[in-house]
Amino acid sequence: MTEGPRSLGLLIVVSGPSGVGKSTVIEKLGHEVDIAFSVSATTRPPRPGEEDGVDYHFVDEERFADMVDRGELLEWARYGGRSYGTPVAPVRELLDRGTDVLLDIENEGAMQVKAAMPEAVTVFILPPSPDALRTRLARRGDTTGADLEARLGVVADQIAHARRHYDWLVVNDDLDQVVAEIVRILAVSRRMQQ
C-alpha cells in the first residue's frame, strides 16, 4: 500500500482585543490539540523569567531591521516603541512537516500573514459584550479610567476590522466552549485544505 501525499500543517492566526482572555484560550487549546506555537522576535528587553528562544527571540533594533530587509519575517509591526515579528523560516519548516502552527498576533500582523499565505486560518476572539470587556480590563487593575476608555475605543476598531477580514469570529463567554469551537474550526479548515 502506498502512502498518499503528506498534508501540510495548518497555519492558524489567533487575534483578539486586550482583556478578551486570548492567552487563556490559547493555553487551553494547546492542551487539546497538537499544535506548535510560533516564537516571535522582539526588540523589547526580556522580562524577569523570560527565556530567549522560548518566550521570544530577543534581538536589537539593528538585527530586527536586518531581518525585515532580508524578508525573514512573515509579519512585523511596532507597538509601544518596540518591534515584534514572526520569523518565517521556522513556521514554514513546521508546516512542511505537517505540524499545525499557531500565531498569536494583532490585526495588522494577521493581515500581513493572510496576504503572504492566503491559506492561513484567521480566528478573532470576541468578548461576550462591551460591558464584559470593560469589567475584565478594569479588574486587571493596570488601566486608569482614561486609558480604559482609550483601549475600549481601539477594541471597537479591532472588532469592526475583524468582522470584515477574519475567517472566523468566536465569542469567549465560556472557556471550554470557545476552545471546542476553535478545535471544530481547525477540523473544518483541515478538510477544506485537503
mmCIF file of all heavy atoms in Angstrom, residues 6 19-20 27 45 67 71 73 84 91 93-94 100-101 104 125 128 139 148-149 154 158 160 169-170 178 180 184 194:
data_model
loop_
_atom_site.group_PDB
_atom_site.id
_atom_site.type_symbol
_atom_site.label_atom_id
_atom_site.label_comp_id
_atom_site.label_asym_id
_atom_site.label_seq_id
_atom_site.Cartn_x
_atom_site.Cartn_y
_atom_site.Cartn_z
ATOM 1 N N ARG A 6 1.652 13.624 1.727
ATOM 2 C CA ARG A 6 1.583 14.083 3.105
ATOM 3 C C ARG A 6 0.972 15.484 3.123
ATOM 4 O O ARG A 6 1.299 16.323 2.300
ATOM 5 C CB ARG A 6 2.987 14.121 3.683
ATOM 6 C CG ARG A 6 3.032 14.173 5.168
ATOM 7 C CD ARG A 6 4.454 14.006 5.614
ATOM 8 N NE ARG A 6 5.298 14.851 4.786
ATOM 9 C CZ ARG A 6 6.164 15.722 5.247
ATOM 10 N NH1 ARG A 6 6.316 15.848 6.522
ATOM 11 N NH2 ARG A 6 6.887 16.458 4.442
ATOM 12 N N GLY A 19 -7.608 41.916 27.054
ATOM 13 C CA GLY A 19 -8.603 41.618 28.077
ATOM 14 C C GLY A 19 -9.645 40.599 27.681
ATOM 15 O O GLY A 19 -10.493 40.237 28.496
ATOM 16 N N VAL A 20 -9.589 40.086 26.457
ATOM 17 C CA VAL A 20 -10.612 39.144 25.995
ATOM 18 C C VAL A 20 -10.357 37.716 26.499
ATOM 19 O O VAL A 20 -11.224 36.864 26.386
ATOM 20 C CB VAL A 20 -10.735 39.178 24.451
ATOM 21 C CG1 VAL A 20 -9.626 38.377 23.783
ATOM 22 C CG2 VAL A 20 -12.093 38.699 23.992
ATOM 23 N N GLU A 27 -3.683 28.866 25.698
ATOM 24 C CA GLU A 27 -3.046 27.886 26.586
ATOM 25 C C GLU A 27 -3.874 26.603 26.664
ATOM 26 O O GLU A 27 -3.346 25.502 26.537
ATOM 27 C CB GLU A 27 -2.871 28.485 27.980
ATOM 28 C CG GLU A 27 -2.178 27.541 28.944
ATOM 29 C CD GLU A 27 -2.013 28.143 30.329
ATOM 30 O OE1 GLU A 27 -2.093 29.381 30.480
ATOM 31 O OE2 GLU A 27 -1.813 27.347 31.269
ATOM 32 N N PRO A 45 13.323 44.370 25.802
ATOM 33 C CA PRO A 45 14.170 43.547 26.668
ATOM 34 C C PRO A 45 13.354 42.436 27.327
ATOM 35 O O PRO A 45 12.131 42.579 27.509
ATOM 36 C CB PRO A 45 14.699 44.537 27.708
ATOM 37 C CG PRO A 45 13.756 45.689 27.684
ATOM 38 C CD PRO A 45 13.142 45.730 26.313
ATOM 39 N N MET A 67 16.481 41.659 9.633
ATOM 40 C CA MET A 67 15.505 40.588 9.383
ATOM 41 C C MET A 67 14.408 41.078 8.433
ATOM 42 O O MET A 67 13.990 40.349 7.538
ATOM 43 C CB MET A 67 14.903 40.089 10.705
ATOM 44 C CG MET A 67 15.889 39.382 11.611
ATOM 45 S SD MET A 67 15.206 39.042 13.263
ATOM 46 C CE MET A 67 14.208 37.593 12.908
ATOM 47 N N GLY A 71 13.716 39.851 4.340
ATOM 48 C CA GLY A 71 12.471 39.105 4.145
ATOM 49 C C GLY A 71 12.358 37.907 5.063
ATOM 50 O O GLY A 71 11.689 36.926 4.735
ATOM 51 N N LEU A 73 10.896 37.829 7.953
ATOM 52 C CA LEU A 73 9.726 37.897 8.826
ATOM 53 C C LEU A 73 8.452 37.733 8.017
ATOM 54 O O LEU A 73 8.271 38.364 6.981
ATOM 55 C CB LEU A 73 9.699 39.227 9.582
ATOM 56 C CG LEU A 73 10.878 39.466 10.527
ATOM 57 C CD1 LEU A 73 10.798 40.860 11.129
ATOM 58 C CD2 LEU A 73 10.920 38.416 11.625
ATOM 59 N N TYR A 84 8.069 43.901 16.834
ATOM 60 C CA TYR A 84 7.686 42.498 17.041
ATOM 61 C C TYR A 84 7.472 41.883 15.666
ATOM 62 O O TYR A 84 6.931 42.540 14.775
ATOM 63 C CB TYR A 84 6.367 42.398 17.826
ATOM 64 C CG TYR A 84 6.440 42.942 19.227
ATOM 65 C CD1 TYR A 84 6.291 44.301 19.476
ATOM 66 C CD2 TYR A 84 6.670 42.089 20.296
ATOM 67 C CE1 TYR A 84 6.358 44.809 20.763
ATOM 68 C CE2 TYR A 84 6.728 42.590 21.590
ATOM 69 C CZ TYR A 84 6.578 43.951 21.819
ATOM 70 O OH TYR A 84 6.649 44.450 23.094
ATOM 71 N N VAL A 91 8.354 28.732 10.846
ATOM 72 C CA VAL A 91 6.937 28.486 10.553
ATOM 73 C C VAL A 91 6.823 27.585 9.335
ATOM 74 O O VAL A 91 6.109 26.574 9.342
ATOM 75 C CB VAL A 91 6.174 29.816 10.343
ATOM 76 C CG1 VAL A 91 4.772 29.560 9.796
ATOM 77 C CG2 VAL A 91 6.110 30.614 11.637
ATOM 78 N N GLU A 93 9.057 25.556 8.048
ATOM 79 C CA GLU A 93 9.604 24.221 8.330
ATOM 80 C C GLU A 93 8.569 23.349 9.041
ATOM 81 O O GLU A 93 8.374 22.179 8.691
ATOM 82 C CB GLU A 93 10.870 24.334 9.179
ATOM 83 C CG GLU A 93 12.065 24.877 8.419
ATOM 84 C CD GLU A 93 13.234 25.244 9.330
ATOM 85 O OE1 GLU A 93 13.266 24.786 10.494
ATOM 86 O OE2 GLU A 93 14.111 26.006 8.874
ATOM 87 N N LEU A 94 7.913 23.906 10.044
ATOM 88 C CA LEU A 94 6.893 23.150 10.775
ATOM 89 C C LEU A 94 5.721 22.783 9.868
ATOM 90 O O LEU A 94 5.254 21.634 9.878
ATOM 91 C CB LEU A 94 6.404 23.951 11.982
ATOM 92 C CG LEU A 94 7.382 24.068 13.146
ATOM 93 C CD1 LEU A 94 6.960 25.181 14.100
ATOM 94 C CD2 LEU A 94 7.502 22.737 13.882
ATOM 95 N N ASP A 100 0.778 21.687 12.655
ATOM 96 C CA ASP A 100 -0.017 22.915 12.730
ATOM 97 C C ASP A 100 0.734 23.947 13.561
ATOM 98 O O ASP A 100 1.373 23.612 14.559
ATOM 99 C CB ASP A 100 -1.375 22.643 13.373
ATOM 100 C CG ASP A 100 -2.252 21.722 12.543
ATOM 101 O OD1 ASP A 100 -1.985 21.565 11.337
ATOM 102 O OD2 ASP A 100 -3.209 21.163 13.109
ATOM 103 N N VAL A 101 0.653 25.211 13.135
ATOM 104 C CA VAL A 101 1.362 26.296 13.808
ATOM 105 C C VAL A 101 0.377 27.403 14.158
ATOM 106 O O VAL A 101 -0.431 27.802 13.324
ATOM 107 C CB VAL A 101 2.486 26.877 12.905
ATOM 108 C CG1 VAL A 101 3.211 28.019 13.606
ATOM 109 C CG2 VAL A 101 3.466 25.788 12.492
ATOM 110 N N ASP A 104 -0.029 34.058 17.610
ATOM 111 C CA ASP A 104 -0.814 34.923 18.479
ATOM 112 C C ASP A 104 -0.369 36.346 18.172
ATOM 113 O O ASP A 104 0.639 36.816 18.690
ATOM 114 C CB ASP A 104 -0.520 34.550 19.937
ATOM 115 C CG ASP A 104 -1.130 35.509 20.944
ATOM 116 O OD1 ASP A 104 -1.862 36.441 20.538
ATOM 117 O OD2 ASP A 104 -0.868 35.327 22.151
ATOM 118 N N ILE A 125 -11.021 36.418 18.516
ATOM 119 C CA ILE A 125 -11.781 36.138 19.731
ATOM 120 C C ILE A 125 -12.470 37.421 20.188
ATOM 121 O O ILE A 125 -11.823 38.445 20.408
ATOM 122 C CB ILE A 125 -10.863 35.576 20.828
ATOM 123 C CG1 ILE A 125 -10.223 34.271 20.333
ATOM 124 C CG2 ILE A 125 -11.649 35.348 22.113
ATOM 125 C CD1 ILE A 125 -9.220 33.661 21.280
ATOM 126 N N PRO A 128 -17.817 38.709 25.170
ATOM 127 C CA PRO A 128 -19.261 38.471 25.152
ATOM 128 C C PRO A 128 -20.048 39.753 24.937
ATOM 129 O O PRO A 128 -21.110 39.737 24.335
ATOM 130 C CB PRO A 128 -19.572 37.868 26.517
ATOM 131 C CG PRO A 128 -18.279 37.634 27.187
ATOM 132 C CD PRO A 128 -17.194 38.287 26.411
ATOM 133 N N ARG A 139 -10.796 44.997 36.038
ATOM 134 C CA ARG A 139 -10.381 44.037 37.054
ATOM 135 C C ARG A 139 -8.872 43.799 37.045
ATOM 136 O O ARG A 139 -8.290 43.467 38.068
ATOM 137 C CB ARG A 139 -11.098 42.702 36.833
ATOM 138 C CG ARG A 139 -11.753 42.187 38.093
ATOM 139 C CD ARG A 139 -12.399 40.856 37.895
ATOM 140 N NE ARG A 139 -13.325 40.914 36.769
ATOM 141 C CZ ARG A 139 -13.846 39.867 36.165
ATOM 142 N NH1 ARG A 139 -13.537 38.669 36.543
ATOM 143 N NH2 ARG A 139 -14.664 40.012 35.150
ATOM 144 N N LEU A 148 -8.606 53.215 30.049
ATOM 145 C CA LEU A 148 -9.630 52.200 29.802
ATOM 146 C C LEU A 148 -10.514 52.611 28.639
ATOM 147 O O LEU A 148 -10.772 51.813 27.734
ATOM 148 C CB LEU A 148 -10.466 51.972 31.063
ATOM 149 C CG LEU A 148 -11.592 50.953 30.960
ATOM 150 C CD1 LEU A 148 -11.047 49.569 30.644
ATOM 151 C CD2 LEU A 148 -12.374 50.917 32.265
ATOM 152 N N GLU A 149 -10.940 53.869 28.630
ATOM 153 C CA GLU A 149 -11.796 54.352 27.541
ATOM 154 C C GLU A 149 -11.045 54.336 26.203
ATOM 155 O O GLU A 149 -11.607 53.979 25.167
ATOM 156 C CB GLU A 149 -12.328 55.751 27.849
ATOM 157 C CG GLU A 149 -13.316 55.781 29.016
ATOM 158 C CD GLU A 149 -14.438 54.770 28.889
ATOM 159 O OE1 GLU A 149 -15.038 54.640 27.794
ATOM 160 O OE2 GLU A 149 -14.731 54.083 29.891
ATOM 161 N N VAL A 154 -10.083 51.478 20.868
ATOM 162 C CA VAL A 154 -9.250 50.655 19.989
ATOM 163 C C VAL A 154 -9.942 49.315 19.738
ATOM 164 O O VAL A 154 -9.957 48.804 18.620
ATOM 165 C CB VAL A 154 -7.840 50.444 20.600
ATOM 166 C CG1 VAL A 154 -7.065 49.377 19.850
ATOM 167 C CG2 VAL A 154 -7.071 51.759 20.625
ATOM 168 N N GLN A 158 -10.813 47.324 16.333
ATOM 169 C CA GLN A 158 -10.316 45.967 16.073
ATOM 170 C C GLN A 158 -11.458 45.023 15.700
ATOM 171 O O GLN A 158 -11.337 44.220 14.774
ATOM 172 C CB GLN A 158 -9.593 45.409 17.307
ATOM 173 C CG GLN A 158 -8.258 46.030 17.602
ATOM 174 C CD GLN A 158 -7.682 45.509 18.905
ATOM 175 O OE1 GLN A 158 -8.393 45.340 19.907
ATOM 176 N NE2 GLN A 158 -6.386 45.263 18.903
ATOM 177 N N ALA A 160 -14.460 45.815 14.482
ATOM 178 C CA ALA A 160 -15.017 46.188 13.173
ATOM 179 C C ALA A 160 -14.117 45.642 12.054
ATOM 180 O O ALA A 160 -14.609 45.100 11.058
ATOM 181 C CB ALA A 160 -15.150 47.704 13.062
ATOM 182 N N LEU A 169 -15.011 34.295 13.675
ATOM 183 C CA LEU A 169 -15.163 35.076 14.896
ATOM 184 C C LEU A 169 -15.733 34.150 15.963
ATOM 185 O O LEU A 169 -16.705 33.429 15.704
ATOM 186 C CB LEU A 169 -16.117 36.255 14.689
ATOM 187 C CG LEU A 169 -15.770 37.235 13.567
ATOM 188 C CD1 LEU A 169 -16.861 38.274 13.415
ATOM 189 C CD2 LEU A 169 -14.435 37.904 13.822
ATOM 190 N N VAL A 170 -15.120 34.156 17.146
ATOM 191 C CA VAL A 170 -15.540 33.267 18.225
ATOM 192 C C VAL A 170 -15.710 34.100 19.494
ATOM 193 O O VAL A 170 -14.801 34.833 19.878
ATOM 194 C CB VAL A 170 -14.493 32.153 18.463
ATOM 195 C CG1 VAL A 170 -14.933 31.229 19.576
ATOM 196 C CG2 VAL A 170 -14.236 31.373 17.190
ATOM 197 N N VAL A 178 -15.390 27.975 23.887
ATOM 198 C CA VAL A 178 -14.617 28.674 22.870
ATOM 199 C C VAL A 178 -13.479 27.787 22.369
ATOM 200 O O VAL A 178 -13.195 27.755 21.169
ATOM 201 C CB VAL A 178 -14.110 30.054 23.358
ATOM 202 C CG1 VAL A 178 -12.974 29.945 24.354
ATOM 203 C CG2 VAL A 178 -13.669 30.904 22.193
ATOM 204 N N ALA A 180 -13.511 24.466 22.316
ATOM 205 C CA ALA A 180 -14.161 23.440 21.493
ATOM 206 C C ALA A 180 -14.511 23.992 20.114
ATOM 207 O O ALA A 180 -14.358 23.301 19.100
ATOM 208 C CB ALA A 180 -15.410 22.902 22.197
ATOM 209 N N ARG A 184 -13.132 22.724 16.441
ATOM 210 C CA ARG A 184 -14.009 22.430 15.295
ATOM 211 C C ARG A 184 -13.572 23.223 14.059
ATOM 212 O O ARG A 184 -13.566 22.709 12.942
ATOM 213 C CB ARG A 184 -15.468 22.760 15.629
ATOM 214 C CG ARG A 184 -16.163 21.692 16.451
ATOM 215 C CD ARG A 184 -17.667 21.918 16.546
ATOM 216 N NE ARG A 184 -18.039 23.113 17.278
ATOM 217 C CZ ARG A 184 -18.167 23.190 18.607
ATOM 218 N NH1 ARG A 184 -17.952 22.121 19.338
ATOM 219 N NH2 ARG A 184 -18.516 24.317 19.179
ATOM 220 N N GLN A 194 -7.650 20.048 2.173
ATOM 221 C CA GLN A 194 -7.207 18.784 1.579
ATOM 222 C C GLN A 194 -7.819 18.560 0.219
ATOM 223 O O GLN A 194 -8.790 19.038 -0.175
ATOM 224 C CB GLN A 194 -7.518 17.615 2.505
ATOM 225 C CG GLN A 194 -6.644 17.638 3.737
ATOM 226 C CD GLN A 194 -6.992 16.527 4.718
ATOM 227 O OE1 GLN A 194 -8.031 15.895 4.620
ATOM 228 N NE2 GLN A 194 -6.110 16.305 5.670
#
